[in-house]
Each structure stands twice: as C-alpha cells, then as structure tokens.
Amino acid sequence: MRTGDEYLAALDDGRQVMIDGGTVTNVPEHPAFAGVARSVARLFDKAGHDSEMQTTDPRLGSAPVNRVFDLPRSPEDLAGRRKAITRWAELSNGYLGRTPDHVGSIFAAFDLGAEVFARGGEQFADNVRGFRRRIANESLYLTYTIIPPQDDRSKIGNEHHEPKQVHVVKERDDGIVLRGAQMLGTGAAVADYVFMTCLLPLKPGDEKFAISCVIPCAAPGLKWYSRTPYALGKPSVFDYPLSTRYDETDSLAVLDDVFVPWEHVFIYRDVELMRAQTAETEFRSFGNSQAQIRLAVKLKFLIGLAHRMVESNNVAQLPAVQEKLGELAALAATVEGMVHAAEATAVVIDGAYVPNRRFVFGAMALQADIYPRVLHLIRDLAGGGMIQTPSSVADLTSDETADDIARYYAASNSGAVERIKLFKLAWDAIGSELGGRHHQYEMFYAGPPFALKMLNAQNYGYHEPTTLVDRFLDTYDTDTKVTDQ
Ligand SMILES: Cc1cc2nc3c(=O)[nH]c(=O)nc-3n(C[C@H](O)[C@H](O)[C@H](O)COP(=O)(O)OP(=O)(O)OC[C@H]3O[C@@H](n4cnc5c(N)ncnc54)[C@H](O)[C@@H]3O)c2cc1C
C-alpha cells in the first residue's frame, strides 16, 4: 500500500498554491504545509502497517486496500470501516477534516449508484467505477470543490451577469476545457485530485455549469488561492500543537482553461444528473458518516481537554462544573450514538450496507448547534487559563524569565511546563485562528446549517411516526367513552 514517503514525494509536482502574492514552490517542504503534509503521510503509514485497516475486495482486484475506501458488503465490513476511519481520525484527534476517507467514501457511494451516471451514457458510469478503483488501489487523496464562489446567493449559473462559476469553454475529441472558480478545497494544497462539481441546484439553460469531474491538483492552469495559512509564523509545536500539524488549509480553485480528459468526466452538461448524483446515490450516507465518525473522535478529545483543565484547576467536583461536564458528555454521546445507530440500522442496497440516513443526517443537522455549544462550554470551564500562558516556549527557558514562569505558572498539582502545555493546546483547539476556523468548518463544511436541517426533514422517514399518530387517532371518535379501551 502507498507509504507516507511516496505520498510526500508525489506532492512536489509543480502545483500552483498561491500565498502572499506568489506561488509556493515545493509544497511538502514549505513551512505553511510541511506539518500537515507529514500528518497526512502518517495516515498512509498507519494504514500500511495496521492489518485491521486492510481488506480485500475482488471487485477492486486482489491486493489489499484500505478499509476506509471499502464499500461494505456485510455488517462486519461496515463495523470494520468505522473502526478504520476512527483509527485515522485518532491520529489528528479529528482536526484533519478532509482526510482521504471523506471523498473516498463518496466515490464508494458513486460506484454503488453508478447507474445514475449511466443515464448520461454508459461510459460515464465506467469512468466513475474506474476512478473509484484507482482511489482504493492507489490510496488517492481527493478533496472536493462543490460550491460556486460566494456571491449573490439568490442567483445561480447564467442568472449572474458575469458567472464566475466553473464552466465548460471548449469540447475536444479527447476531453473538455474548464474555466472559472469554485470554493473551497479543504486540503487541496496537499491532495492528489479534486472532485469538482456543483451541489447548488442548477436550472435548465445552465448546462455549461453542469459538470462533474476529477482534476489533478497540479493540473496545468489550475491555481489554488489559499486562505492565510495558520502554521506560518508559528515555529514552535509546543505553542501551537494543532496549527503546526493539522492546518489542512482551504483554497479557492481558479481554473484558467484546464483540460480534463473524458475518462475523468462523470456528468457532462446535464442539469438533472447534477441533482441526481447526490439525491439518488448514497453520496451523503457514506461521505457524511465518515465525517460523523471523525467528529465523534474530536468531541471525545475536547471532553478530555476539558477534564484535564478542570483537574488542573481542582474544580472537577464542584456541582456547577459537573453540570457543564455532564452536558459536554451528553453532546459527545449524541454524536457517537448516532454513528452507532446509523451502523446498527444500516440499509442494504444492492448488497451494500449503507449507514442509515435517519441518523447520519440527524447528526449533520445538529452539528452547527452541537459544536459551537461544546466550544462555549469549554470556554466557560477554562476561564482565563488559556490566556494566562506565556508568550512563547522561549519564556520557559530564557534566563530572564524561566524562574518566574516555573514559580508562578505552576499549579498546586502540576508543574509549570505541564500546565502551560495543556492550556496552550486548549487555546489552539478553541481560540486560535485554527480553533476559530474549526468552529466555522464544523458549521459549514457539509452545507449551510438551514439546508442540513431541511435535508434531515426530507429524509427522516415519516411513515413510522405518522402511523403512530394515525393508529392512535383511530382509537377514539366523537362517541368514545373513557371505559372503551
Ligand atoms: C472551513 C470551511 C471549509 C470548507 N471546505 C470546503 C471544501 O473542502 N469543499 C467545498 O466544496 N466547500 C467547502 N466549504 C464551503 C461550504 O460548502 C460552504 O460554506 C457551504 O456550502 C455554504 O455555502 P456558503 O459558504 O456560500 O454560505 P451561504 O450559502 O451563502 O450561506 C450563508 C448563510 O446565508 C444564509 N442563506 C444563504 N442562502 C440562503 C437561502 N437560500 N435561504 C435561507 N438562508 C440563506 C444562511 O443564514 C446561511 O447560513 C468549506 C467551508 C468552510 C467554512
């Protein structure tokens, strides 16, 4: 299986990642990306060395593949997938959001629903199946850009005066040429390919925007405009243990006549299929179950942080603190419980075990409320402790400052270094630029919160609840007596 070193070597491929007015040369060695690139490399090494993360599937060939890319064919497969995704998530405590298992899971769903793509021509279904095999066999790391750049959101496609959204500008015998922009490739600076499509509903007449395809992140003409990288200017892992290792970055894709060969195209100029690729496949059941498994790990980590902080302040047993810890535990258990419920009530579709939408979408719909509430509770428990930290690790060793730090930053139950280390980690998780970005990420990466709640309303399945109500309504009428039961 692919090793971390192979992944890192492949990243130095001339990709155009733009920061501070110029192009980054050699991404894996650049201080903005070196930390996160190595964190991703560790994922591949873990999968290669952990036999429980591996499986074989005759549909994919004879070589072992990473279970995170598996299309589960039994309850045991589905549980194995969850455990493999959990092991990966634990390597970053959920702080790498767009690990290769996210879009990899979506392509497993596309393989299962390939007949949707076949409606545009059998060759498109073949392209989907073929690329999914490559993802599993080559351990490819895909991100996605599936939303047009933020602009007037009351308009879509041709309704804009000068549409910026990615669109076809030329059709050739060997493929298509794309131009425009698309938001917001998390991890694009360090991924192999981007899955590019549009999840916002297009209208008839918008055919030139109705494209679904994959593009190498280093394709000629493709530029990645990264937001401010949070690892830059932070040389000390001790001061920023998460920013330095897990800033996966988010970038706007700008395409200046990018060529895409036909074998990488899955939908071409078909507005209806753009809707069907998510609505009629298990895109979200697989993609977002991966995301919820990751979130369950992250919430456990945050609860662990909260516990260590209140222990350090020796307030863990106070009733008011217990109340907040209890609420945190309930929120984390809700997400973890939904993960297990989606698995235990999996729906079998064409022989595949698919996490149950009721629980996957239910967890998604609550995510924008749960995550900010968790952050709020931890801030409440931390008080000024995350701010009462020295300016940098240098203060711990400098002759001028070390004695004061050792004396005044120690707690009655821990030394200064131990306490500062803990509270700096908490700040990076919650209050640093990276912490703030994670707040926004958990609220928005799967779509705006209102849309996720609407999606949940449309997928809950009302037969069971309405049957309960109708059955009860049938038990009485205008003339029913109390004794008629
Ligand atoms: C950290 C981060 C990472 C991301 N990574 C990726 C990625 O890797 N790939 C990717 O494709 N995308 C990514 N995204 C983008 C994400 O998909 C979008 O943020 C999301 O779909 C919402 O789109 P928007 O940001 O344009 O918000 P909008 O759609 O503009 O919504 C913002 C708010 O405006 C209001 N609003 C907008 N439209 C309506 C409406 N019709 N009805 C009612 N209210 C409305 C709501 O209050 C809504 O919450 C990421 C986003 C973040 C924050």
Side-chain angles (χ1 to χ4, degrees):
M1 288 172 69
R2 188 182 200 185
T3 67
D5 282 345
E6 285 167 350
Y7 158 74
L8 287 172
L11 264 188
D12 182 17
D13 55 6
R15 63 187 54 210
Q16 295 189 80
V17 179
M18 318 307 292
I19 56 171
D20 296 333
T23 312
V24 170
T25 49
N26 196 355
V27 162
E29 297 308 323
H30 190 280
F33 307 104
V36 68
R38 276 151 190 79
S39 296
V40 174
R42 282 180 69 213
L43 301 177
F44 292 119
D45 286 336
K46 168 79 178 156
H49 292 124
D50 184 345
S51 60
E52 289 184 20
M53 283 195 69
Q54 300 169 13
T55 187
T56 48
D57 179 346
R59 293 171 189 81
L60 298 171
S62 54
V65 296
N66 189 335
R67 274 186 183 277
V68 301
F69 300 124
D70 196 21
L71 188 53
R73 300 281 169 182
S74 68
E76 293 73 29
D77 279 354
L78 189 56
R81 172 182 180 267
R82 169 179 47 79
K83 288 175 193 163
I85 291 170
T86 300
R87 285 179 190 201
W88 261 16
E90 284 176 354
L91 289 182
S92 70
N93 293 305
Y95 274 82
L96 285 179
R98 190 57 38 72
T99 42
D101 40 353
H102 186 67
V103 182
S105 293
I106 289 168
F107 270 80
F110 281 170
D111 188 345
L112 180 65
E115 78 279 356
V116 169
F117 298 91
R119 285 182 217 154
E122 197 54 49
Q123 73 277 19
F124 292 115
D126 291 343
N127 292 349
V128 165
R129 291 192 199 98
F131 203 79
R132 193 252 156 169
R133 266 195 303 279
R134 279 196 59 200
I135 292 174
N137 282 310
E138 299 172 33
S139 290
L140 292 180
Y141 177 7
L142 270 74
T143 182
Y144 55 32
T145 53
I146 52 182
I147 303 289
Q150 203 177 46
D151 190 351
D152 177 349
R153 284 289 190 234
S154 68
K155 297 189 172 75
I156 186 79
N158 283 316
E159 290 170 343
H160 289 283
H161 175 54
E162 285 179 3
K164 298 193 271 287
Q165 177 176 356
V166 162
H167 55 279
V168 188
V169 287
K170 195 172 177 188
E171 183 181 321
R172 299 183 356 192
D173 288 346
D174 50 353
I176 56 177
V177 178
L178 301 181
R179 191 181 297 166
Q182 204 77 343
M183 73 191 277
L184 187 61
T186 295
V190 291
D192 299 309
Y193 277 84
V194 57
F195 170 48
M196 196 162 290
T197 190
C198 175
L199 257 52
L200 299 187
L202 296 167
K203 299 196 171 105
D206 283 336
E207 281 71 21
K208 69 176 181 183
F209 306 101
I211 309 298
S212 186
C213 64
V214 286
I215 304 172
C217 289
L222 175 57
K223 283 190 184 138
W224 293 104
Y225 280 89
S226 169
R227 60 151 167 77
T228 305
Y230 307 139
L232 275 187
K234 298 188 178 73
S236 159
V237 175
F238 184 88
D239 287 328
Y240 290 97
L242 302 174
S243 299
T244 48
R245 293 170 167 178
Y246 306 131
D247 181 19
E248 55 197 335
T249 71
D250 312 282
S251 313
L252 183 76
V254 174
L255 289 79
D256 186 8
D257 292 359
V258 172
F259 172 69
V260 185
W262 282 119
E263 64 264 29
H264 286 171
V265 178
F266 313 127
I267 297 175
Y268 183 58
R269 288 182 173 276
D270 194 322
V271 168
E272 165 53 20
L273 283 187
M274 294 292 276
R275 182 203 61 79
Q277 69 176 332
T278 51
E280 296 184 38
T281 71
E282 297 304 324
F283 176 105
R284 289 194 182 275
S285 308
F286 277 109
N288 290 93
S289 75
Q290 178 279 337
Q292 296 308 323
I293 295 166
R294 175 196 59 80
L295 181 62
V297 170
K298 191 177 186 182
L299 294 181
K300 274 188 197 159
F301 178 72
L302 287 170
I303 285 189
L305 262 183
H307 260 271
R308 287 289 180 241
M309 283 193 291
V310 297
E311 282 166 11
S312 181
N313 287 346
N314 195 21
V315 292
Q317 298 312 320
L318 298 181
V321 171
Q322 285 279 306
E323 186 206 354
K324 292 181 187 77
L325 291 175
E327 187 177 341
L328 277 175
L331 294 170
T334 299
V335 175
E336 188 180 9
M338 297 268 223
V339 164
H340 284 282
E343 183 181 313
T345 61
V347 179
V348 183
I349 299 177
D350 293 340
Y353 279 67
V354 181
N356 190 325
R357 288 182 182 200
R358 179 177 286 186
F359 302 105
V360 176
F361 293 13
M364 272 165 68
L366 287 180
Q367 200 164 313
D369 300 315
I370 287 181
Y371 195 75
R373 182 68 188 156
V374 165
L375 298 186
H376 175 78
L377 287 164
I378 295 178
R379 279 177 182 270
D380 192 340
L381 289 169
M386 298 188 294
I387 309 299
Q388 182 203 288
T389 51
S391 64
S392 81
V393 67
D395 292 337
L396 277 63
T397 51
S398 151
D399 287 346
E400 241 180 291
T401 52
D403 287 348
D404 277 346
I405 299 287
R407 179 167 182 203
Y408 292 112
Y409 283 82
S412 50
N413 55 9
S414 69
V417 174
E418 190 187 332
R419 187 179 153 89
I420 293 166
K421 190 178 186 187
L422 173 67
F423 280 82
K424 275 185 177 279
L425 168 60
W427 183 247
D428 207 12
I430 287 163
S432 67
E433 265 190 305
L434 180 106
R437 178 268 182 194
H438 273 262
H439 185 161
Q440 204 68 6
Y441 180 81
E442 300 298 0
M443 287 182 72
F444 275 94
Y445 76 86
F450 79 90
L452 299 183
K453 288 195 166 110
M454 285 170 60
L455 188 73
N456 194 37
Q458 289 147 16
N459 282 276
Y460 178 79
Y462 292 100
H463 176 69
E464 210 181 320
T466 52
T467 301
L468 288 174
V469 173
D470 295 344
R471 210 186 282 155
F472 188 70
L473 288 171
D474 287 344
T475 63
Y476 58 92
D477 214 328
T478 49
D479 55 352
T480 305
K481 298 185 180 60
V482 175
T483 49
D484 293 345
Q485 291 233 21

